[in-house]
Amino acid sequence: MFRLLIVDDEVIIANGIKSSIDWRALGFTKVETAFNMRQAIEAFASHPFDVMICDIEMPQGTGFDLFAWVRENHPNTECIFLTCHAEFEFAKRAIQMGSLDYLLKPVLEEELKRTIETALMKIRRERDKTVKLLEHFWLEILHQEIPARADLILEQAKRLQLGYTEETLLLTVLIHLEYWDKKLDERDERILLYALRNALDELILKYFEGSHSVHLNEGTFMIILPVEGSVEDHFIQEMKGRCESYVEACNAYFYSHLSCYIGKTVPVERVASMYDMLSEFQKSQVNAADRVLLLNKQPQRECDVTLPNMRVWFEMLRRQEKTRLLDEISSHLDAWKSIDHLEAKRLQLFYQSFLQMVLQTLKEISLRAEEMMQEYLELNRAMIATRSIRDMQNWAFEVVETAISSMKALAANETIVEKIQRYIELHLDEELSRQHIADFVGFNPDYVVKLFKKEIGLSISDYILDRRLSRAKELLLKSDMTISDVALSVGYPNFSYFSTLFRKETSMTPQEFRKQQN
């Protein structure tokens, strides 16, 4: 998190300071030594330092000379002078130049440690202030409150000491929280979002000089980093690898599933448009949880995604085979999870087909489907359901539970004859004997037959024939099923027998009926 440079022309003293304190415990990830001004400037050329401990009297330039250079070139570096000179003029000059403290050799370990901790507190405060300024700057750019003009953006960047030029290229990475592994209250979610951002600094930002993160909204972050010249493939792969490690760590420790979208390098005036492209890319992906996707690696052709046979699911729902239907939904959607770059429109087609199937099922058993499913028909629910495979599965499960609960509630309020009629309607494609029907309603077959004839005016066998032929007519007119398939779907595996019954009823063969009506 922090870098320290120790500058002293006495090698033993410099190395002694380096080894005397547990710098890592204080938060330093790098501690280096230099033995003169030239070596110190060379060290700064490699990377900046947060704190510099410096002697005053040294060859090739004094500590004051070095600090003056640091102040001009690295103004955010805190300086602590450590010297054997107790003269007031030296201390006065150090304070006038803006050093944090002036310590005398030999310094006690605890005194030096306290001074370092004071420096780090000041640095953290300044960092927090800088982070807020930078975040505000980038938000103004992304929301185009600062016009997309290089001169205006570079002017603001100069005030923030970002060091951008007209040749600077910026790489953008969008990070999105897909979902949490468990239900969180507001406090826990706030804590974990804070942890996600800290992990972002630790696992990604610290490896890329000059990188910044921007908190866009709850669970969405943007990384922006400068890249001199064109981006080599190995650089993109390094970023991809860091993002993959970050996603994996957040999943393991913070109950979160993230997705990362790596953009293309653009000049400063095109960052806002690249952000818009990444946002659209993110919204179009419904299978991105725990993945890192590259904007320039989108598939050239659409992936081949097969929708389920909704007619089969229709029959499962109609017969209230909840466990089987839910297993089928899970199996189908789980198979989609292995498809890279699965687009939102595929999930939208699934949503439309599934909803149509459910509404048709409820309509056929005389339930007011639109009223019952009103909650699931709202635009907001549709948008949530189609944003990811997981959301679609949750939505589909809720719809099935609601539909079957309503169907069972209807059955509980039915008369015996209404139950018989519903049973016949649901099993027209199967063998329908009076024993099967009697077992379903739980009464003696003879009693069931007499009761049905008394209330409906038809025998059960005549009623079944009427319903089968009515269903057959409907299928002949409203579907492109073959005549043989129509016969099977209404309980007649023998095509000839079906045709004979149909002709007796309508004075036409099934083929003639379809042709005439069409």
Side-chain angles (χ1 to χ4, degrees):
M1 295 290 286
F2 300 102
R3 294 191 182 103
L4 170 67
L5 180 63
I6 302 167
V7 187
D8 198 306
D9 62 322
E10 296 185 54
V11 176
I12 294 177
I13 292 178
N15 289 333
I17 295 172
K18 182 177 180 180
S19 61
S20 65
I21 292 176
D22 184 358
W23 297 107
R24 185 165 293 276
L26 290 175
F28 288 93
T29 55
K30 186 173 285 293
V31 178
E32 296 184 20
T33 56
F35 308 120
N36 54 51
M37 181 173 173
R38 177 183 58 79
Q39 290 182 1
I41 291 174
E42 288 175 355
F44 271 101
S46 299
H47 45 73
F49 292 89
D50 301 289
V51 180
M52 180 176 71
I53 299 175
C54 187
D55 191 10
I56 291 180
E57 289 196 340
M58 297 184 297
Q60 303 178 30
T62 67
F64 292 137
D65 295 332
L66 175 58
F67 187 36
W69 179 88
V70 169
R71 264 285 171 264
E72 182 177 349
N73 294 277
H74 299 276
N76 294 324
T77 300
E78 293 296 332
C79 181
I80 300 168
F81 281 113
L82 182 60
T83 179
C84 59
H85 295 282
E87 287 88 345
F88 174 74
E89 288 301 319
F90 275 47
K92 179 182 177 182
R93 185 177 176 187
I95 293 170
Q96 288 174 339
M97 291 182 70
S99 70
L100 182 77
D101 209 336
Y102 185 94
L103 303 177
L104 295 176
K105 297 177 182 177
V107 65
L108 295 175
E109 179 182 325
E110 286 303 314
E111 183 182 3
L112 178 58
K113 189 175 178 181
R114 282 195 302 271
T115 303
I116 292 293
E117 287 173 341
T118 300
L120 295 182
M121 286 177 61
K122 182 179 178 183
I123 291 169
R124 288 191 182 97
R125 285 196 301 269
E126 289 299 318
R127 279 190 180 182
D128 288 343
K129 182 180 177 180
T130 301
V131 165
K132 289 177 181 178
L133 289 172
L134 286 172
E135 189 163 276
H136 182 70
F137 166 70
W138 285 117
L139 286 173
E140 284 188 323
I141 291 175
L142 297 180
H143 297 153
Q144 299 185 29
E145 294 172 15
I146 297 177
R149 284 174 43 190
D151 57 335
L152 296 177
I153 294 173
L154 290 175
E155 181 183 349
Q156 294 288 337
K158 185 177 181 180
R159 292 175 183 172
L160 293 169
Q161 301 178 353
L162 291 177
Y164 296 165
T165 67
E166 292 181 357
E167 287 73 39
T168 299
L169 294 176
L170 296 167
L171 179 68
T172 52
V173 181
L174 185 68
I175 299 174
H176 179 67
L177 171 66
E178 297 288 335
Y179 60 92
W180 299 107
D181 257 340
K182 64 178 186 177
K183 189 171 181 61
L184 302 170
D185 60 29
E186 186 177 341
R187 175 181 173 277
D188 288 342
E189 184 169 348
R190 189 167 61 250
I191 291 171
L192 286 176
L193 283 172
Y194 179 76
L196 292 181
R197 187 156 190 184
N198 281 346
L200 187 65
D201 292 340
E202 184 66 23
L203 297 177
I204 298 181
L205 298 187
K206 80 174 185 180
Y207 295 99
F208 299 97
E209 196 69 43
S211 59
H212 309 289
S213 67
V214 182
H215 188 191
L216 300 172
N217 53 55
E218 292 304 318
T220 304
F221 306 97
M222 188 83 150
I223 298 174
I224 303 169
L225 64 150
V227 180
E228 295 301 328
S230 60
V231 177
E232 299 294 336
D233 188 58
H234 68 84
F235 181 86
I236 292 291
Q237 290 306 313
E238 181 184 359
M239 172 59 76
K240 186 172 184 290
R242 297 292 179 192
C243 288
E244 286 170 345
S245 298
Y246 173 68
V247 167
E248 185 178 341
C250 291
N251 178 236
Y253 301 112
F254 305 130
Y255 314 106
S256 60
H257 293 267
L258 306 174
S259 56
C260 296
Y261 307 87
I262 300 177
K264 304 174 185 178
T265 54
V266 293
V268 291
E269 67 271 19
R270 288 182 55 200
V271 169
S273 61
M274 178 53 60
Y275 163 66
D276 291 338
M277 289 176 65
L278 285 174
S279 296
E280 289 303 313
F281 185 36
Q282 180 263 316
K283 291 173 185 175
S284 72
Q285 301 300 308
V286 295
N287 192 26
D290 303 319
R291 294 175 186 261
V292 178
L293 303 177
L294 305 180
L295 186 63
N296 62 352
K297 294 292 184 181
Q298 296 182 62
Q300 298 301 310
R301 63 181 184 84
E302 295 181 359
C303 54
D304 184 21
V305 179
T306 304
L307 289 172
N309 187 338
M310 288 297 174
R311 186 70 196 177
V312 175
W313 288 13
F314 169 87
E315 292 297 334
M316 291 180 190
L317 182 58
R318 197 160 63 95
R319 296 177 186 181
Q320 301 181 32
E321 297 174 354
K322 184 174 78 170
T323 301
R324 186 180 170 199
L325 178 53
L326 295 182
D327 286 345
E328 283 283 325
I329 294 169
S330 291
S331 177
H332 194 90
L333 292 178
D334 284 346
W336 283 11
K337 291 179 181 178
S338 62
I339 301 174
D340 288 329
H341 297 286
L342 182 64
E343 294 183 338
K345 63 183 179 182
R346 298 297 177 182
L347 213 54
Q348 289 161 4
L349 284 174
F350 177 94
Y351 167 86
Q352 293 164 2
S353 300
F354 185 84
L355 186 58
Q356 185 177 4
M357 178 274 294
V358 173
L359 294 177
Q360 182 63 30
T361 306
L362 297 176
K363 182 180 178 182
E364 288 210 4
I365 59 173
S366 302
L367 281 172
R368 294 182 178 179
E370 286 74 12
E371 292 181 11
M372 188 182 312
M373 292 288 126
Q374 185 176 1
E375 176 189 351
Y376 303 101
L377 295 171
E378 293 175 356
L379 178 61
N380 185 52
R381 287 303 303 270
M383 292 176 65
I384 293 173
T386 55
R387 68 187 180 185
S388 73
I389 291 176
R390 180 176 181 269
D391 289 316
M392 176 57 68
Q393 185 167 312
N394 290 338
W395 175 84
F397 277 25
E398 284 186 44
V399 169
V400 170
E401 290 280 359
T402 300
I404 291 180
S405 295
S406 301
M407 293 160 74
K408 287 181 176 179
L410 171 66
N413 296 320
E414 287 176 321
T415 66
I416 295 172
V417 171
E418 287 172 339
K419 285 184 179 181
I420 293 170
Q421 289 175 306
R422 186 167 59 84
Y423 180 82
I424 291 171
E425 201 67 32
L426 294 175
H427 297 82
L428 286 176
D429 60 338
E430 301 174 11
E431 179 185 352
L432 281 168
S433 68
R434 68 177 197 168
Q435 186 62 54
H436 287 150
I437 295 169
D439 290 342
F440 176 71
V441 295
F443 288 95
N444 179 279
D446 291 333
Y447 172 75
V448 168
V449 169
K450 290 177 183 178
L451 179 64
F452 193 88
K453 178 73 178 276
K454 179 181 177 181
E455 292 200 18
I456 301 300
L458 291 173
S459 67
I460 286 181
S461 58
D462 287 343
Y463 180 81
I464 291 171
L465 175 62
D466 178 70
R467 291 307 305 140
R468 280 176 166 164
L469 292 178
S470 294
R471 175 71 66 82
K473 292 175 186 177
E474 183 181 348
L475 293 174
L476 287 168
L477 295 178
K478 296 182 179 180
S479 77
D480 57 0
M481 294 170 64
T482 65
I483 307 299
S484 296
D485 287 342
V486 170
L488 284 171
S489 69
V490 294
Y492 295 112
N494 187 317
F495 174 73
S496 298
Y497 182 57
F498 167 69
S499 295
T500 300
L501 290 174
F502 194 89
R503 188 183 185 94
K504 184 178 179 181
E505 168 71 18
T506 64
S507 301
M508 287 182 283
T509 65
Q511 294 92 330
E512 291 169 342
F513 177 83
R514 172 177 271 174
K515 185 176 181 181
Q516 184 188 75
Q517 296 299 320
N518 288 338

